[in-house]
């Protein structure tokens, strides 16, 4: 089967809720979370702050269109 | 007739058992259903009494499930039931592994799958779940079938006749590099000339004629093998692996339609890479898409000439080459309707030639929309567009007409006037057009406030009005809910689903839908975003079912006003007596609306040699 990340078609999305005081703080935390999780080419797709924190969707592209796709190697076998 | 005993071994939950009983009775089985709270001994006692072919027991609660179900199997064994009776179990607390360990003949965990259940009762292999439909070899639908294209509004017919007569008279002695390239490319296909291999002889002569009509970047591609920035060749290894990767069953798909054969659901693809596109298409097909639309890079519309070979591209839009198109076609399901757009660029006629050769089912052409904004010069696209409609007619391939100029701020009556001109032009040339009114929250609507009260009245009017003009299929696009989507996946999928539901209930023939990444601009669309929306639309189709929206008095007033405004625009274009000038001068959308004539290819229309 190989590594699970090799099987990701294009991107990993992470949905979470971050406790924070503002959208700005939430964004900083979200970006830090991507680094802490060691996810490449990360981005904050969506962030909405309300009440005690922010609803967040983070994304890291594992395979960008035009890349060499690792799922082709494993999937074809 | 097979006899089925249903026994909920659960103190309260028996909804699924009741549902199964109804479905089995409808399918002609004799069923006996015991009440909730039935215990193991009571179920076995009933089985000994009626001698069923199958006993189906259910257990929703997780508490003591293994003990109760295990004891039931043991009792069935001890009673000698299992020689003639097979045991099935279902329930949310169950896993396949746990049910098999307990000794059941069949296990149905999670949601009800009637197809699998019926297969077990009939002791035959399951052939996909009940929400899935078997794909036949001849199931590709024709969106235009059954429409007469007769004008219903007799006032507009003579106006459109006059406008289109002027267009056809104007283009009759004109040509362009785009048309000449299409003719050369067509000849190359007929004579099996590969421009990438054409080093000598007749092939080289043909290629040289072609290159003389191309931009310098395209010439450098063929002559020196120089690729445009961000473009690379797809390797043979990548292509070889795909058939093995996609060997999974393609005979079934999960339809989004619960009632009838309409509408067809389309998604757009164009990740930049044909291999990634194929994966996105296969995912979309599996989740219920009936058709796909090929999107090329925006720069492709602004270069004279097309490249060849299997090429991938780092940015949005997949490069139109015959090889890319053929590769994608190879992996399309037999039922998938395939649209290749060519409506707004300098390569519109050639794109149709390649699309037809690759097996396209539909094209996309719209002269007024394509020759505005960042598009092609109106004179050039009128010449190329008319030629392209003639090609579509020759090929017998219908084309759709997207009304997306509304996105620039054009009010719907001007956009729709353009769509009607295209419809009339197509019918005069023997083609089959499909108007695509845009369901959206356009800049015009945002500024005018006409959709402040709700999103239904205006959009319903924009769909229903077509039934007043002409007997035609209607395909709202592109995608539905344009400018309503945000990067929030839930909001985005819900919005698309709501628009799709409205359109479906108003009897449209097809719908183009976005992914939930529609409003995310910093990266490519992801596969999960496609599934988000397809899943959302399916749920909304289930929710709406065979009910529907009825036009409100306000919607009818909007429709009536729109009708008169469209006729006014058409009268103004007819009065002007010059279609191309009408676009330049903004009769179909002007700078005040946010529209300006396209610039690509200006001054490239030539007069044909007599």
């Amino acid at each position: 089967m190989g590594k699970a990340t090799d099987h990701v078609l294009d991107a990993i999305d992470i949905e979470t809720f971050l406790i924070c005081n503002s959208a700005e703080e939430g964004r900083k935390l979200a970006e830090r979370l991507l680094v802490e999780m060691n996810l490449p080419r990360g981005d904050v797709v969506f962030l909405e702050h309300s009440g005690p924190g922010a609803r967040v969707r983070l994304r890291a592209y594992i395979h960008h269109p035009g890349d060499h796709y690792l799922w082709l190697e494993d999937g074809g076998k | 007739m097979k006899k089925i005993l249903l026994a909920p071994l659960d103190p309260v939950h028996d909804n699924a058992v009741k549902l199964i009983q109804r479905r089995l009775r409808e399918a002609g089985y004799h069923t006996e259903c015991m009440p909730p709270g039935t215990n193991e001994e009571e179920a076995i006692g009933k089985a000994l009494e009626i001698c069923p072919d199958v006993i189906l027991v259910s257990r929703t609660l997780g508490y003591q499930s293994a003990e109760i179900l295990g004891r039931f199997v043991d009792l069935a064994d001890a009673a000698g039931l299992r020689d003639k009776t097979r045991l099935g179990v279902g329930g949310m607390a169950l896993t396949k592994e746990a049910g098999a360990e307990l000794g059941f003949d069949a296990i149905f965990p999670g949601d009800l799958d009637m197809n699998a259940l019926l297969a077990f009762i009939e002791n035959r292999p399951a052939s996909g779940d009940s929400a899935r439909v078997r794909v036949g070899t001849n199931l590709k639908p024709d969106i235009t079938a059954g429409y007469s294209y007769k004008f219903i509004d007799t006032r507009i017919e003579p106006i459109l006749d006059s406008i289109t007569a002027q267009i056809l008279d104007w283009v009759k002695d004109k040509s362009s590099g785009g048309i000449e390239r299409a003719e050369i490319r067509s000849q190359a296909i007929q004579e099996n000339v590969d421009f990438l291999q054409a080093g000598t002889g007749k092939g080289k002569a043909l290629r040289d004629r072609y290159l003389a009509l191309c931009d310098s970047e395209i010439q450098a591609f063929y002559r020196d093998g120089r690729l445009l920035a961000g473009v690379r060749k797809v390797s043979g290894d990548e292509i070889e692996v795909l058939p093995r990767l996609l060997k999974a069953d393609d005979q079934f798909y999960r339809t989004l339609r619960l009632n009838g054969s309409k509408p067809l659901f389309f998604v757009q693809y164009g990740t930049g890479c044909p291999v990634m596109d194929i994966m996105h298409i296969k995912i979309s097909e599996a989740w219920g898409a009936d058709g796909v639309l090929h999107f090329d890079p925006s720069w492709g519309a602004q270069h004279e000439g097309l490249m060849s070979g299997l090429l991938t591209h780092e940015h949005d839009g997949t490069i139109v080459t015959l090889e890319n198109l053929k590769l994608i076609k190879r992996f399309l399901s037999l039922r998938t309707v395939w649209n290749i757009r060519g409506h707004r660029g300098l390569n519109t006629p050639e794109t149709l030639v390649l699309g037809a050769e690759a097996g396209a089912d539909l094209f996309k052409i719209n002269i007024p929309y394509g020759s505005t904004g960042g598009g092609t010069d109106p004179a050039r696209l009128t010449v190329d567009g008319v030629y392209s409609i003639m090609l579509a007619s020759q090929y017998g391939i219908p084309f759709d007409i997207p009304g997306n100029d509304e996105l620039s701020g054009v009010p719907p009556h001007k956009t729709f006037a353009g769509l009607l001109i295209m419809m009339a032009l197509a019918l005069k040339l023997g083609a089959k057009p499909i108007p695509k009114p845009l369901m959206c929250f356009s800049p015009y609507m945002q500024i005018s406030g006409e959709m402040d009260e709700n999103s239904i009245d205006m959009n319903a009017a924009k769909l229903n009005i077509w039934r007043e003009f002409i007997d035609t299929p209607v395909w709202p696009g592109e995608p539905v809910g344009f400018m309503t989507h945000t990067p929030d996946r839930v909001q985005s999928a819900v919005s698309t689903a709501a628009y799709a539901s409205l359109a479906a209930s108003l009897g449209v023939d097809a719908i183009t839908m976005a992914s939930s990444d529609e409003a995310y601009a910093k990266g490519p669309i992801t596969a999960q975003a496609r599934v988000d929306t397809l899943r959302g639309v399916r749920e909304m189709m289930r929710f709406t079912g065979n009910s529907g929206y009825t036009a409100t008095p306000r919607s009818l007033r909007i429709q009536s006003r729109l009708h008169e405004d469209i006729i006014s625009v058409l009268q103004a274009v007819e009065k002007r007596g010059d279609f191309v000038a009408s676009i330049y001068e903004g009769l179909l959308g002007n700078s005040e609306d946010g529209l300006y004539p396209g610039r690509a290819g200006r001054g490239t229309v030539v007069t044909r040699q007599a």
Side-chain angles (χ1 to χ4, degrees):
Chain A
M1 282 176 72
K3 285 170 61 184
T5 47
D6 294 352
H7 288 255
V8 173
L9 182 77
D10 37 31
I12 294 174
D13 283 357
I14 297 168
E15 305 272 356
T16 191
F17 193 95
L18 294 169
I19 301 297
C20 54
N21 291 313
S22 66
E24 191 183 349
E25 185 192 357
R27 187 165 293 277
K28 284 178 185 166
L29 285 168
E31 286 165 354
R32 203 189 302 166
L33 184 60
L34 282 164
V35 174
E36 286 175 14
M37 296 181 82
N38 199 26
L39 289 168
R41 295 190 273 197
D43 190 26
V44 180
V45 175
F46 168 72
L47 186 146
E48 186 172 49
H49 182 271
S50 191
R55 170 79 171 85
V56 181
R57 185 186 197 186
L58 306 171
R59 172 169 298 169
Y61 284 94
I62 304 299
H63 294 113
H64 203 277
D67 282 352
H68 176 69
Y69 309 126
L70 294 169
W71 40 260
L72 274 178
E73 289 182 2
D74 199 58
K77 285 175 187 166
Chain B
M1 182 192 295
K2 281 197 164 62
K3 196 182 291 178
I4 319 295
L5 175 63
L6 296 143
L9 301 181
D10 192 288
V12 286
H13 300 98
D14 69 340
N15 285 349
V17 167
K18 286 176 179 165
L19 173 62
I20 290 168
Q21 184 185 34
R22 178 170 69 81
R23 296 260 182 98
L24 290 179
R25 279 183 175 167
E26 286 169 359
Y29 293 100
H30 175 83
T31 62
E32 292 267 347
C33 189
M34 301 186 75
T38 298
N39 65 31
E40 308 89 281
E41 288 82 3
E42 289 166 339
I44 294 299
K46 187 71 175 177
L48 287 169
E49 179 191 328
I50 67 169
C51 299
D53 299 284
V54 170
I55 305 174
L56 298 173
V57 300
S58 71
R59 175 78 185 176
T60 296
L61 290 182
Y63 175 68
Q64 284 197 329
S65 271
E67 289 81 358
I68 291 168
L69 295 173
R71 181 170 160 73
F72 170 78
V73 172
D74 290 344
L75 287 173
D77 281 333
L81 275 172
R82 302 198 67 177
D83 293 341
K84 291 184 179 172
T85 303
R86 289 176 302 125
L87 308 182
V89 60
M92 300 305 284
L94 203 64
T95 65
K96 284 216 164 192
E97 293 74 19
E101 268 184 34
L102 292 169
F104 282 91
D105 298 308
I107 302 98
F108 304 98
D111 293 337
L112 176 61
D113 181 347
M114 274 310 288
N115 203 34
L117 189 61
L118 290 171
F120 168 62
I121 290 169
E122 293 299 328
N123 207 12
R124 59 171 166 76
S127 54
D129 71 47
S130 52
R132 300 170 86 203
V133 176
R134 180 179 280 279
V135 175
T137 52
N138 195 24
L139 283 183
K140 194 175 281 192
D142 175 2
I143 296 173
T144 64
Y147 288 98
S148 67
Y149 284 106
K150 282 187 180 159
F151 281 97
I152 295 161
D153 183 323
T154 51
R155 282 188 298 166
I156 62 164
E157 193 172 3
I159 303 172
L160 289 169
D161 185 56
S162 166
I163 294 169
T164 52
Q166 185 276 323
I167 294 171
L168 294 176
D169 185 59
W170 185 79
V171 301
K172 70 183 179 195
D173 62 346
K174 295 182 176 62
S175 185
S176 73
I179 292 174
E180 288 183 53
R181 282 197 308 277
E183 289 169 349
I184 295 169
R185 185 72 82 161
S186 186
Q187 187 182 345
I189 289 169
Q190 283 170 17
E191 296 176 6
N192 286 320
V193 172
D194 180 352
F195 282 173
L196 292 173
Q197 308 290 332
T200 56
K202 194 176 175 185
K204 182 177 184 306
L206 207 55
R207 193 184 84 168
D208 286 349
R209 273 177 56 208
Y210 180 84
L211 292 186
L213 299 163
C214 292
D215 282 352
S216 58
E217 293 98 325
I218 305 297
Q219 291 172 347
F221 168 78
Y222 285 105
R223 288 184 173 140
D224 311 323
R226 204 182 310 152
L227 295 167
L228 273 72
V231 177
R232 76 165 174 86
K233 293 179 182 173
V234 179
S235 75
D237 292 348
E238 292 170 270
I239 309 302
E240 273 180 34
V241 174
L242 274 176
R244 297 202 294 273
L245 186 71
L246 297 170
K247 64 191 171 194
D249 177 42
D250 192 31
Q251 292 215 333
F252 295 90
Y253 73 103
R254 211 173 255 278
T255 179
L256 300 182
R257 283 177 303 284
L258 297 180
N259 299 290
S261 58
K262 296 197 298 185
L264 300 181
F265 293 94
F266 281 74
V267 300
Q268 303 160 323
Y269 70 85
T271 63
C273 171
V275 174
M276 186 65 92
D277 283 343
I278 289 164
M279 299 307 294
H280 276 239
I281 289 168
K282 299 315 289 181
I283 290 164
S284 301
E285 286 175 346
W287 259 267
D290 301 292
V292 294
L293 298 107
H294 183 102
F295 269 59
D296 56 324
S298 53
W299 53 257
Q302 291 160 359
H303 281 73
E304 299 274 11
L306 294 171
M307 293 182 280
S308 294
L310 288 165
L311 299 173
T312 184
H313 169 236
E314 284 178 1
H315 305 292
D316 284 353
T318 299
I319 299 167
V320 169
T321 68
L322 184 55
E323 293 76 11
N324 274 357
L325 295 178
K326 281 186 168 177
L327 177 68
I328 290 165
K329 170 67 178 177
R330 187 177 147 200
F331 289 95
L332 290 178
S333 165
L334 289 173
R335 67 178 175 84
T336 298
V337 183
W338 191 29
N339 182 308
I340 297 175
R341 76 169 181 176
H343 67 296
R344 60 181 189 139
L346 298 173
N347 300 301
T348 297
E350 193 180 348
T351 300
L352 266 66
V353 170
L354 298 184
E357 177 63 14
D361 301 298
L362 292 166
F363 295 127
K364 182 193 297 286
I365 310 166
N366 187 354
I367 297 169
Y369 168 48
S371 59
T372 52
T376 306
D377 168 66
R380 169 66 184 270
L381 196 60
T382 300
V383 173
D384 284 11
V386 170
Y387 183 86
S388 298
I389 294 170
M390 289 164 60
L391 281 181
S393 174
Q394 283 170 26
Y395 295 138
I397 298 177
F399 71 92
D400 66 66
I401 315 165
N404 284 36
D405 26 358
E406 275 201 65
L407 297 178
S408 301
V410 179
H413 60 276
K414 291 184 184 177
T415 294
F416 283 22
L419 297 189
L420 280 164
I421 292 170
M422 287 296 294
M423 294 281 296
L425 202 48
L427 295 174
K428 222 170 219 184
L429 294 170
K432 292 180 181 175
I434 307 167
K436 265 186 170 164
L438 185 66
M439 294 182 86
C440 61
F441 188 34
S442 67
Y444 176 82
M445 296 302 164
Q446 292 175 31
I447 293 164
S448 68
E450 292 202 56
M451 284 174 58
D452 285 356
E453 289 180 34
N454 63 65
S455 299
I456 294 177
D457 289 343
M458 174 58 72
N459 283 292
K462 285 166 69 176
L463 298 184
N464 286 332
I465 197 168
W466 289 92
R467 309 295 180 210
E468 297 178 353
F469 285 131
I470 187 167
D471 181 31
T472 175
V474 178
W475 177 352
E478 176 121 307
V480 295
F482 214 135
M483 298 191 82
T484 67
H485 304 105
T486 72
D488 174 13
R489 61 195 289 261
V490 177
Q491 182 279 337
S492 183
V494 167
S495 183
T496 292
Y499 275 89
S501 167
L502 172 62
S505 85
L506 294 175
V508 302
D509 298 87
I511 291 169
T512 306
M513 63 174 81
S515 77
S516 67
D517 274 341
E518 174 69 17
Y520 177 62
K522 290 188 283 181
I525 289 170
T526 58
Q528 56 267 36
R530 294 194 181 281
V531 174
D532 282 348
T533 306
L534 287 159
R535 191 70 190 75
V537 168
R538 189 196 311 155
E539 186 58 26
M540 195 66 180
M541 290 300 116
R542 195 204 65 77
F543 175 78
T544 312
N546 61 0
S547 68
Y549 299 88
T550 303
T552 62
R554 180 171 177 266
S555 184
L556 293 172
R557 283 197 301 275
I558 293 171
Q559 191 173 320
S560 173
R561 191 194 67 216
L562 199 51
H563 195 132
E564 295 310 311
D565 289 348
I566 290 166
I567 290 177
S568 296
V569 174
L570 290 174
Q571 285 170 334
V573 174
E574 184 192 24
K575 188 177 172 192
R576 180 63 182 82
D578 185 330
F579 174 69
V580 172
S582 297
I583 298 177
Y584 278 126
E585 293 164 14
L587 295 183
L588 296 169
N590 57 30
S591 56
E592 203 174 306
D593 298 322
L595 208 63
Y596 54 90
R599 298 185 179 91
R602 181 161 295 182
T604 57
V605 170
V606 295
T607 303
R608 274 187 193 271
Q609 303 292 330

